[in-house]
Short mmCIF file of all heavy atoms in Angstrom, two decimals:
data_model
loop_
_atom_site.label_atom_id
_atom_site.label_comp_id
_atom_site.label_asym_id
_atom_site.label_seq_id
_atom_site.Cartn_x
_atom_site.Cartn_y
_atom_site.Cartn_z
N ALA Q 178 1.67 -0.19 -25.57
CA ALA Q 178 2.65 0.88 -25.37
C ALA Q 178 4.06 0.37 -25.67
O ALA Q 178 4.34 -0.83 -25.55
CB ALA Q 178 2.58 1.39 -23.92
N ASN Q 179 4.92 1.27 -26.05
CA ASN Q 179 6.36 0.96 -26.24
C ASN Q 179 7.02 1.13 -24.87
O ASN Q 179 7.29 2.26 -24.46
CB ASN Q 179 6.99 1.87 -27.28
CG ASN Q 179 6.29 1.78 -28.61
OD1 ASN Q 179 6.00 0.70 -29.10
ND2 ASN Q 179 5.99 2.93 -29.22
N VAL Q 180 7.25 0.02 -24.20
CA VAL Q 180 7.71 0.08 -22.80
C VAL Q 180 9.22 -0.16 -22.72
O VAL Q 180 9.73 -1.12 -23.27
CB VAL Q 180 6.97 -0.96 -21.93
CG1 VAL Q 180 7.47 -0.90 -20.49
CG2 VAL Q 180 5.46 -0.72 -21.98
N GLN Q 181 9.90 0.77 -22.03
CA GLN Q 181 11.29 0.60 -21.69
C GLN Q 181 11.41 0.60 -20.17
O GLN Q 181 10.76 1.42 -19.50
CB GLN Q 181 12.15 1.71 -22.28
CG GLN Q 181 12.16 1.75 -23.81
CD GLN Q 181 12.95 2.92 -24.35
OE1 GLN Q 181 12.67 4.08 -24.02
NE2 GLN Q 181 13.97 2.64 -25.16
N VAL Q 182 12.20 -0.29 -19.63
CA VAL Q 182 12.26 -0.46 -18.18
C VAL Q 182 13.70 -0.23 -17.69
O VAL Q 182 14.64 -0.81 -18.23
CB VAL Q 182 11.81 -1.87 -17.76
CG1 VAL Q 182 11.75 -1.96 -16.22
CG2 VAL Q 182 10.45 -2.18 -18.34
N GLY Q 183 13.83 0.61 -16.68
CA GLY Q 183 15.13 0.89 -16.08
C GLY Q 183 15.30 0.09 -14.79
O GLY Q 183 14.40 0.03 -13.97
N ALA Q 184 16.46 -0.54 -14.66
CA ALA Q 184 16.76 -1.33 -13.46
C ALA Q 184 18.27 -1.29 -13.21
O ALA Q 184 19.03 -0.75 -14.02
CB ALA Q 184 16.27 -2.75 -13.62
N ARG Q 185 18.70 -1.86 -12.11
CA ARG Q 185 20.14 -1.90 -11.79
C ARG Q 185 20.71 -3.32 -11.77
O ARG Q 185 21.83 -3.53 -12.21
CB ARG Q 185 20.40 -1.25 -10.42
CG ARG Q 185 20.09 0.24 -10.40
CD ARG Q 185 20.62 0.91 -9.15
NE ARG Q 185 20.23 2.32 -9.09
CZ ARG Q 185 20.88 3.28 -9.73
NH1 ARG Q 185 21.94 2.99 -10.46
NH2 ARG Q 185 20.48 4.54 -9.65
N LYS Q 186 19.92 -4.28 -11.31
CA LYS Q 186 20.42 -5.64 -11.21
C LYS Q 186 20.53 -6.27 -12.60
O LYS Q 186 19.64 -6.15 -13.44
CB LYS Q 186 19.49 -6.49 -10.35
CG LYS Q 186 19.44 -6.10 -8.89
CD LYS Q 186 18.48 -7.02 -8.16
CE LYS Q 186 18.35 -6.66 -6.69
NZ LYS Q 186 17.38 -7.53 -5.99
N ALA Q 187 21.62 -6.99 -12.81
CA ALA Q 187 21.80 -7.69 -14.08
C ALA Q 187 20.68 -8.72 -14.29
O ALA Q 187 20.22 -8.92 -15.42
CB ALA Q 187 23.16 -8.39 -14.09
N SER Q 188 20.24 -9.34 -13.21
CA SER Q 188 19.16 -10.34 -13.33
C SER Q 188 17.85 -9.70 -13.77
O SER Q 188 17.08 -10.28 -14.55
CB SER Q 188 18.97 -11.07 -12.01
OG SER Q 188 18.69 -10.17 -10.96
N ASP Q 189 17.57 -8.48 -13.26
CA ASP Q 189 16.37 -7.76 -13.66
C ASP Q 189 16.44 -7.36 -15.13
O ASP Q 189 15.46 -7.48 -15.87
CB ASP Q 189 16.17 -6.51 -12.80
CG ASP Q 189 15.70 -6.86 -11.39
OD1 ASP Q 189 15.20 -7.98 -11.19
OD2 ASP Q 189 15.82 -5.99 -10.51
N LEU Q 190 17.62 -6.88 -15.56
CA LEU Q 190 17.79 -6.47 -16.96
C LEU Q 190 17.60 -7.67 -17.89
O LEU Q 190 16.99 -7.56 -18.96
CB LEU Q 190 19.17 -5.85 -17.16
CG LEU Q 190 19.42 -4.52 -16.41
CD1 LEU Q 190 20.88 -4.14 -16.50
CD2 LEU Q 190 18.53 -3.43 -16.96
N ALA Q 191 18.05 -8.83 -17.44
CA ALA Q 191 17.86 -10.03 -18.25
C ALA Q 191 16.40 -10.44 -18.30
O ALA Q 191 15.87 -10.84 -19.35
CB ALA Q 191 18.70 -11.18 -17.65
N ARG Q 192 15.71 -10.33 -17.18
CA ARG Q 192 14.28 -10.70 -17.14
C ARG Q 192 13.44 -9.76 -17.98
O ARG Q 192 12.48 -10.19 -18.64
CB ARG Q 192 13.80 -10.71 -15.68
CG ARG Q 192 12.33 -11.11 -15.50
CD ARG Q 192 12.03 -12.48 -16.03
NE ARG Q 192 12.69 -13.52 -15.24
CZ ARG Q 192 12.67 -14.80 -15.57
NH1 ARG Q 192 12.11 -15.20 -16.70
NH2 ARG Q 192 13.28 -15.71 -14.80
N ILE Q 193 13.79 -8.48 -17.96
CA ILE Q 193 13.08 -7.50 -18.82
C ILE Q 193 13.22 -7.88 -20.28
O ILE Q 193 12.27 -7.87 -21.06
CB ILE Q 193 13.61 -6.07 -18.55
CG1 ILE Q 193 13.30 -5.65 -17.10
CG2 ILE Q 193 13.00 -5.07 -19.52
CD1 ILE Q 193 14.17 -4.48 -16.62
N TYR Q 194 14.46 -8.22 -20.67
CA TYR Q 194 14.73 -8.64 -22.04
C TYR Q 194 13.91 -9.89 -22.38
O TYR Q 194 13.30 -9.99 -23.45
CB TYR Q 194 16.21 -8.90 -22.20
CG TYR Q 194 16.60 -9.54 -23.53
CD1 TYR Q 194 16.75 -8.76 -24.67
CD2 TYR Q 194 16.81 -10.91 -23.62
CE1 TYR Q 194 17.07 -9.35 -25.89
CE2 TYR Q 194 17.16 -11.50 -24.82
CZ TYR Q 194 17.29 -10.71 -25.96
OH TYR Q 194 17.61 -11.29 -27.16
N GLU Q 195 13.87 -10.84 -21.46
CA GLU Q 195 13.13 -12.07 -21.68
C GLU Q 195 11.64 -11.81 -21.86
O GLU Q 195 10.95 -12.55 -22.58
CB GLU Q 195 13.37 -13.02 -20.48
CG GLU Q 195 12.69 -14.38 -20.59
CD GLU Q 195 11.26 -14.37 -20.07
OE1 GLU Q 195 10.94 -13.52 -19.19
OE2 GLU Q 195 10.46 -15.18 -20.55
N SER Q 196 11.14 -10.75 -21.22
CA SER Q 196 9.72 -10.40 -21.30
C SER Q 196 9.37 -9.63 -22.57
O SER Q 196 8.22 -9.23 -22.77
CB SER Q 196 9.32 -9.58 -20.08
OG SER Q 196 9.54 -10.33 -18.89
N GLY Q 197 10.37 -9.40 -23.42
CA GLY Q 197 10.12 -8.73 -24.70
C GLY Q 197 10.09 -7.23 -24.63
O GLY Q 197 9.56 -6.56 -25.53
N MET Q 198 10.69 -6.65 -23.59
CA MET Q 198 10.74 -5.20 -23.46
C MET Q 198 12.19 -4.73 -23.50
O MET Q 198 13.12 -5.49 -23.22
CB MET Q 198 10.08 -4.76 -22.15
CG MET Q 198 8.58 -5.01 -22.10
SD MET Q 198 7.81 -4.60 -20.51
CE MET Q 198 8.34 -5.97 -19.50
N ASP Q 199 12.36 -3.46 -23.84
CA ASP Q 199 13.70 -2.88 -23.85
C ASP Q 199 14.10 -2.53 -22.42
O ASP Q 199 13.29 -2.06 -21.62
CB ASP Q 199 13.73 -1.62 -24.71
CG ASP Q 199 13.52 -1.92 -26.18
OD1 ASP Q 199 13.89 -3.03 -26.61
OD2 ASP Q 199 12.98 -1.05 -26.90
N SER Q 200 15.37 -2.74 -22.10
CA SER Q 200 15.86 -2.44 -20.77
C SER Q 200 17.04 -1.48 -20.86
O SER Q 200 17.69 -1.36 -21.89
CB SER Q 200 16.29 -3.72 -20.06
OG SER Q 200 17.41 -4.29 -20.72
N PHE Q 201 17.28 -0.78 -19.76
CA PHE Q 201 18.46 0.08 -19.65
C PHE Q 201 18.87 0.16 -18.20
O PHE Q 201 18.05 -0.04 -17.28
CB PHE Q 201 18.20 1.47 -20.24
CG PHE Q 201 17.11 2.25 -19.52
CD1 PHE Q 201 17.40 3.07 -18.44
CD2 PHE Q 201 15.79 2.17 -19.96
CE1 PHE Q 201 16.40 3.78 -17.79
CE2 PHE Q 201 14.79 2.88 -19.32
CZ PHE Q 201 15.10 3.68 -18.24
N HIS Q 202 20.14 0.43 -17.97
CA HIS Q 202 20.64 0.60 -16.61
C HIS Q 202 20.24 1.98 -16.11
O HIS Q 202 20.28 2.95 -16.84
CB HIS Q 202 22.16 0.43 -16.58
CG HIS Q 202 22.70 0.22 -15.20
ND1 HIS Q 202 22.86 1.25 -14.29
CD2 HIS Q 202 23.06 -0.93 -14.54
CE1 HIS Q 202 23.34 0.77 -13.16
NE2 HIS Q 202 23.47 -0.55 -13.29
N MET Q 203 19.86 2.04 -14.82
CA MET Q 203 19.41 3.32 -14.26
C MET Q 203 20.46 4.41 -14.35
O MET Q 203 20.12 5.60 -14.34
CB MET Q 203 18.98 3.11 -12.81
CG MET Q 203 17.64 2.41 -12.66
SD MET Q 203 16.27 3.36 -13.35
CE MET Q 203 16.32 4.81 -12.30
N ASN Q 204 21.73 4.06 -14.42
CA ASN Q 204 22.77 5.08 -14.58
C ASN Q 204 22.61 5.85 -15.89
O ASN Q 204 23.10 6.98 -16.01
CB ASN Q 204 24.15 4.44 -14.55
CG ASN Q 204 24.53 3.94 -13.16
OD1 ASN Q 204 23.87 4.26 -12.17
ND2 ASN Q 204 25.58 3.14 -13.08
N ASP Q 205 21.93 5.24 -16.86
CA ASP Q 205 21.75 5.88 -18.17
C ASP Q 205 20.38 6.51 -18.34
O ASP Q 205 19.98 6.82 -19.48
CB ASP Q 205 21.96 4.83 -19.27
CG ASP Q 205 23.34 4.17 -19.19
OD1 ASP Q 205 24.29 4.90 -18.89
OD2 ASP Q 205 23.43 2.96 -19.44
N LEU Q 206 19.66 6.72 -17.24
CA LEU Q 206 18.28 7.19 -17.32
C LEU Q 206 18.11 8.46 -18.16
O LEU Q 206 17.20 8.56 -18.98
CB LEU Q 206 17.73 7.42 -15.89
CG LEU Q 206 16.34 8.05 -15.79
CD1 LEU Q 206 15.30 7.18 -16.51
CD2 LEU Q 206 15.95 8.22 -14.31
N ALA Q 207 18.98 9.45 -17.98
CA ALA Q 207 18.84 10.72 -18.68
C ALA Q 207 18.86 10.58 -20.18
O ALA Q 207 18.29 11.38 -20.92
CB ALA Q 207 19.93 11.70 -18.23
N ALA Q 208 19.47 9.51 -20.67
CA ALA Q 208 19.55 9.30 -22.12
C ALA Q 208 18.25 8.73 -22.68
O ALA Q 208 18.09 8.70 -23.91
CB ALA Q 208 20.70 8.34 -22.43
N TYR Q 209 17.34 8.34 -21.80
CA TYR Q 209 16.11 7.68 -22.27
C TYR Q 209 14.85 8.54 -22.06
O TYR Q 209 13.77 8.18 -22.54
CB TYR Q 209 15.92 6.34 -21.57
CG TYR Q 209 16.85 5.28 -22.09
CD1 TYR Q 209 18.17 5.17 -21.61
CD2 TYR Q 209 16.44 4.36 -23.05
CE1 TYR Q 209 19.04 4.20 -22.10
CE2 TYR Q 209 17.30 3.39 -23.54
CZ TYR Q 209 18.59 3.32 -23.07
OH TYR Q 209 19.45 2.36 -23.55
N THR Q 210 14.96 9.63 -21.33
CA THR Q 210 13.76 10.39 -20.99
C THR Q 210 13.33 11.38 -22.05
O THR Q 210 12.20 11.84 -22.05
CB THR Q 210 13.95 11.15 -19.66
OG1 THR Q 210 15.15 11.94 -19.75
CG2 THR Q 210 14.05 10.21 -18.49
N GLY Q 211 14.18 11.69 -22.99
CA GLY Q 211 13.87 12.70 -23.99
C GLY Q 211 12.66 12.41 -24.85
O GLY Q 211 11.92 13.31 -25.23
N GLN Q 212 12.44 11.14 -25.16
CA GLN Q 212 11.33 10.78 -26.05
C GLN Q 212 10.14 10.16 -25.31
O GLN Q 212 9.15 9.77 -25.95
CB GLN Q 212 11.83 9.78 -27.11
CG GLN Q 212 12.89 10.34 -28.05
CD GLN Q 212 12.41 11.59 -28.77
OE1 GLN Q 212 11.30 11.61 -29.31
NE2 GLN Q 212 13.23 12.65 -28.75
N CYS Q 213 10.23 10.08 -24.00
CA CYS Q 213 9.14 9.38 -23.30
C CYS Q 213 7.90 10.27 -23.15
O CYS Q 213 8.00 11.48 -22.96
CB CYS Q 213 9.60 8.86 -21.93
SG CYS Q 213 9.40 9.94 -20.54
N ASP Q 214 6.75 9.65 -23.28
CA ASP Q 214 5.47 10.35 -23.09
C ASP Q 214 4.99 10.21 -21.66
O ASP Q 214 4.38 11.13 -21.11
CB ASP Q 214 4.41 9.77 -24.04
CG ASP Q 214 4.80 9.89 -25.49
OD1 ASP Q 214 5.08 11.03 -25.93
OD2 ASP Q 214 4.86 8.85 -26.19
N ILE Q 215 5.25 9.05 -21.06
CA ILE Q 215 4.82 8.78 -19.68
C ILE Q 215 5.98 8.11 -18.94
O ILE Q 215 6.57 7.15 -19.46
CB ILE Q 215 3.59 7.85 -19.65
CG1 ILE Q 215 2.43 8.45 -20.44
CG2 ILE Q 215 3.17 7.56 -18.22
CD1 ILE Q 215 1.28 7.47 -20.66
N LEU Q 216 6.32 8.65 -17.79
CA LEU Q 216 7.34 8.05 -16.94
C LEU Q 216 6.66 7.57 -15.66
O LEU Q 216 5.95 8.33 -15.00
CB LEU Q 216 8.44 9.05 -16.62
CG LEU Q 216 9.64 8.50 -15.80
CD1 LEU Q 216 10.91 9.27 -16.19
CD2 LEU Q 216 9.40 8.60 -14.30
N ILE Q 217 6.85 6.30 -15.33
CA ILE Q 217 6.24 5.71 -14.13
C ILE Q 217 7.37 5.21 -13.22
O ILE Q 217 8.13 4.33 -13.60
CB ILE Q 217 5.29 4.56 -14.48
CG1 ILE Q 217 4.22 5.04 -15.46
CG2 ILE Q 217 4.65 3.99 -13.22
CD1 ILE Q 217 3.36 3.94 -16.04
N ASN Q 218 7.45 5.80 -12.05
CA ASN Q 218 8.52 5.43 -11.12
C ASN Q 218 7.97 4.53 -10.01
O ASN Q 218 6.91 4.79 -9.43
CB ASN Q 218 9.13 6.68 -10.49
CG ASN Q 218 10.17 6.31 -9.45
OD1 ASN Q 218 11.16 5.64 -9.74
ND2 ASN Q 218 9.95 6.71 -8.20
N THR Q 219 8.74 3.49 -9.65
CA THR Q 219 8.38 2.62 -8.54
C THR Q 219 9.50 2.56 -7.50
O THR Q 219 9.42 1.80 -6.54
CB THR Q 219 8.08 1.18 -9.02
OG1 THR Q 219 9.30 0.57 -9.50
CG2 THR Q 219 7.05 1.18 -10.12
N ILE Q 220 10.54 3.37 -7.68
CA ILE Q 220 11.72 3.32 -6.81
C ILE Q 220 11.61 4.39 -5.72
O ILE Q 220 11.46 5.57 -6.03
CB ILE Q 220 13.01 3.56 -7.63
CG1 ILE Q 220 13.13 2.53 -8.74
CG2 ILE Q 220 14.24 3.54 -6.73
CD1 ILE Q 220 14.23 2.81 -9.74
N PRO Q 221 11.63 4.00 -4.42
CA PRO Q 221 11.42 4.95 -3.34
C PRO Q 221 12.66 5.77 -2.95
O PRO Q 221 12.89 6.07 -1.78
CB PRO Q 221 10.97 4.06 -2.19
CG PRO Q 221 11.68 2.78 -2.44
CD PRO Q 221 11.76 2.61 -3.94
N VAL Q 222 13.48 6.09 -3.95
CA VAL Q 222 14.67 6.92 -3.76
C VAL Q 222 14.67 7.93 -4.91
O VAL Q 222 14.28 7.60 -6.03
CB VAL Q 222 15.96 6.08 -3.80
CG1 VAL Q 222 17.19 6.95 -3.70
CG2 VAL Q 222 15.96 5.02 -2.72
N LYS Q 223 15.10 9.16 -4.64
CA LYS Q 223 15.05 10.20 -5.68
C LYS Q 223 15.97 9.85 -6.83
O LYS Q 223 17.20 9.98 -6.75
CB LYS Q 223 15.40 11.56 -5.11
CG LYS Q 223 15.11 12.71 -6.08
CD LYS Q 223 15.41 14.07 -5.47
CE LYS Q 223 14.35 14.46 -4.46
NZ LYS Q 223 14.56 15.84 -3.98
N VAL Q 224 15.37 9.39 -7.91
CA VAL Q 224 16.12 9.00 -9.12
C VAL Q 224 15.83 9.92 -10.29
O VAL Q 224 16.64 10.04 -11.21
CB VAL Q 224 15.81 7.53 -9.52
CG1 VAL Q 224 16.43 6.57 -8.52
CG2 VAL Q 224 14.31 7.29 -9.66
N VAL Q 225 14.66 10.58 -10.27
CA VAL Q 225 14.31 11.51 -11.34
C VAL Q 225 14.70 12.92 -10.89
O VAL Q 225 13.94 13.64 -10.28
CB VAL Q 225 12.81 11.42 -11.69
CG1 VAL Q 225 12.45 12.36 -12.85
CG2 VAL Q 225 12.44 9.98 -12.06
N THR Q 226 15.95 13.26 -11.19
CA THR Q 226 16.56 14.48 -10.70
C THR Q 226 16.59 15.54 -11.81
O THR Q 226 16.09 15.32 -12.93
CB THR Q 226 17.98 14.18 -10.23
OG1 THR Q 226 18.69 13.54 -11.31
CG2 THR Q 226 17.98 13.25 -9.03
N GLU Q 227 17.20 16.70 -11.53
CA GLU Q 227 17.24 17.80 -12.50
C GLU Q 227 17.80 17.38 -13.85
O GLU Q 227 17.19 17.68 -14.90
CB GLU Q 227 18.02 18.98 -11.93
CG GLU Q 227 17.31 19.73 -10.82
CD GLU Q 227 18.04 21.01 -10.42
OE1 GLU Q 227 18.79 21.53 -11.28
OE2 GLU Q 227 17.84 21.46 -9.31
N PRO Q 228 18.95 16.69 -13.93
CA PRO Q 228 19.46 16.30 -15.26
C PRO Q 228 18.49 15.42 -16.04
O PRO Q 228 18.41 15.53 -17.26
CB PRO Q 228 20.75 15.53 -14.92
CG PRO Q 228 21.15 16.02 -13.57
CD PRO Q 228 19.86 16.30 -12.85
N VAL Q 229 17.78 14.58 -15.33
CA VAL Q 229 16.80 13.70 -15.97
C VAL Q 229 15.60 14.52 -16.47
O VAL Q 229 15.14 14.38 -17.60
CB VAL Q 229 16.31 12.61 -14.99
CG1 VAL Q 229 15.17 11.80 -15.60
CG2 VAL Q 229 17.48 11.70 -14.61
N LEU Q 230 15.11 15.40 -15.62
CA LEU Q 230 13.93 16.23 -15.96
C LEU Q 230 14.24 17.22 -17.06
O LEU Q 230 13.35 17.57 -17.86
CB LEU Q 230 13.43 16.95 -14.71
CG LEU Q 230 12.77 16.07 -13.65
CD1 LEU Q 230 12.68 16.81 -12.32
CD2 LEU Q 230 11.41 15.60 -14.09
N ASN Q 231 15.49 17.67 -17.16
CA ASN Q 231 15.85 18.62 -18.21
C ASN Q 231 15.70 18.03 -19.60
O ASN Q 231 15.54 18.77 -20.58
CB ASN Q 231 17.30 19.11 -18.02
CG ASN Q 231 17.41 20.14 -16.92
OD1 ASN Q 231 16.45 20.85 -16.62
ND2 ASN Q 231 18.58 20.23 -16.28
N GLN Q 232 15.74 16.72 -19.70
CA GLN Q 232 15.63 16.05 -21.01
C GLN Q 232 14.19 15.78 -21.43
O GLN Q 232 13.92 15.47 -22.57
CB GLN Q 232 16.40 14.73 -20.97
CG GLN Q 232 17.86 14.83 -20.54
CD GLN Q 232 18.64 15.78 -21.41
OE1 GLN Q 232 18.52 15.78 -22.63
NE2 GLN Q 232 19.45 16.64 -20.76
N MET Q 233 13.25 15.91 -20.48
CA MET Q 233 11.88 15.47 -20.74
C MET Q 233 11.08 16.51 -21.51
O MET Q 233 11.28 17.71 -21.36
CB MET Q 233 11.17 15.13 -19.43
CG MET Q 233 11.72 13.90 -18.74
SD MET Q 233 10.69 13.36 -17.34
CE MET Q 233 9.25 12.75 -18.22
N LYS Q 234 10.14 16.03 -22.31
CA LYS Q 234 9.20 16.90 -23.01
C LYS Q 234 8.27 17.56 -21.99
O LYS Q 234 7.90 16.94 -21.00
CB LYS Q 234 8.38 16.10 -24.03
CG LYS Q 234 9.21 15.45 -25.13
CD LYS Q 234 8.34 14.75 -26.16
CE LYS Q 234 7.71 13.50 -25.62
NZ LYS Q 234 7.01 12.72 -26.69
N LEU Q 235 7.87 18.77 -22.25
CA LEU Q 235 7.03 19.50 -21.30
C LEU Q 235 5.62 18.92 -21.22
O LEU Q 235 4.92 19.14 -20.21
CB LEU Q 235 6.98 20.98 -21.66
CG LEU Q 235 8.32 21.73 -21.58
CD1 LEU Q 235 8.12 23.20 -21.90
CD2 LEU Q 235 8.96 21.57 -20.21
N ASN Q 236 5.20 18.22 -22.23
CA ASN Q 236 3.86 17.62 -22.19
C ASN Q 236 3.87 16.18 -21.71
O ASN Q 236 2.87 15.46 -21.82
CB ASN Q 236 3.18 17.71 -23.55
CG ASN Q 236 3.91 16.87 -24.61
OD1 ASN Q 236 5.07 16.49 -24.41
ND2 ASN Q 236 3.22 16.58 -25.71
N ALA Q 237 5.01 15.73 -21.17
CA ALA Q 237 5.09 14.38 -20.63
C ALA Q 237 4.35 14.30 -19.30
O ALA Q 237 4.11 15.32 -18.65
CB ALA Q 237 6.55 13.96 -20.46
N LEU Q 238 4.00 13.10 -18.92
CA LEU Q 238 3.34 12.85 -17.63
C LEU Q 238 4.21 11.95 -16.77
O LEU Q 238 4.73 10.94 -17.26
CB LEU Q 238 1.97 12.18 -17.86
CG LEU Q 238 1.24 11.65 -16.60
CD1 LEU Q 238 0.82 12.80 -15.70
CD2 LEU Q 238 0.04 10.79 -17.01
N ILE Q 239 4.38 12.35 -15.51
CA ILE Q 239 5.14 11.52 -14.55
C ILE Q 239 4.17 10.99 -13.50
O ILE Q 239 3.43 11.77 -12.87
CB ILE Q 239 6.26 12.32 -13.87
CG1 ILE Q 239 7.29 12.80 -14.89
CG2 ILE Q 239 6.92 11.50 -12.78
CD1 ILE Q 239 8.35 13.71 -14.31
N ILE Q 240 4.16 9.68 -13.30
CA ILE Q 240 3.36 9.05 -12.26
C ILE Q 240 4.31 8.35 -11.30
O ILE Q 240 5.10 7.48 -11.70
CB ILE Q 240 2.38 8.00 -12.85
CG1 ILE Q 240 1.42 8.67 -13.85
CG2 ILE Q 240 1.60 7.31 -11.74
CD1 ILE Q 240 0.54 7.67 -14.60
N ASP Q 241 4.28 8.79 -10.05
CA ASP Q 241 5.18 8.20 -9.03
C ASP Q 241 4.37 7.27 -8.16
O ASP Q 241 3.45 7.69 -7.45
CB ASP Q 241 5.82 9.32 -8.21
CG ASP Q 241 7.02 8.82 -7.41
OD1 ASP Q 241 7.24 7.60 -7.37
OD2 ASP Q 241 7.75 9.64 -6.84
N LEU Q 242 4.70 5.99 -8.19
CA LEU Q 242 4.02 4.97 -7.39
C LEU Q 242 4.78 4.61 -6.13
O LEU Q 242 4.32 3.80 -5.33
CB LEU Q 242 3.79 3.70 -8.23
CG LEU Q 242 3.02 3.87 -9.53
CD1 LEU Q 242 2.96 2.55 -10.29
CD2 LEU Q 242 1.61 4.39 -9.26
N ALA Q 243 5.95 5.24 -5.95
CA ALA Q 243 6.79 4.90 -4.80
C ALA Q 243 6.24 5.55 -3.52
O ALA Q 243 5.61 6.60 -3.56
CB ALA Q 243 8.22 5.38 -5.04
#
Side-chain angles (χ1 to χ4, degrees):
N179 302 315
V180 179
Q181 296 177 303
V182 186
R185 294 192 184 278
K186 293 181 182 178
S188 57
D189 287 342
L190 295 170
R192 180 60 68 186
I193 295 161
Y194 171 82
E195 181 273 333
S196 300
M198 293 177 285
D199 293 331
S200 65
F201 61 90
H202 196 281
M203 285 297 297
N204 289 348
D205 302 322
L206 174 58
Y209 286 83
T210 53
Q212 297 303 312
C213 91
D214 301 304
I215 302 169
L216 184 149
I217 303 171
N218 176 60
T219 69
I220 302 170
V222 176
K223 190 177 286 186
V224 290
V225 182
T226 55
E227 288 189 24
V229 173
L230 290 164
N231 282 334
Q232 305 304 316
M233 293 189 70
K234 298 184 289 188
L235 297 183
N236 65 342
L238 170 66
I239 297 174
I240 301 173
D241 196 350
L242 302 177

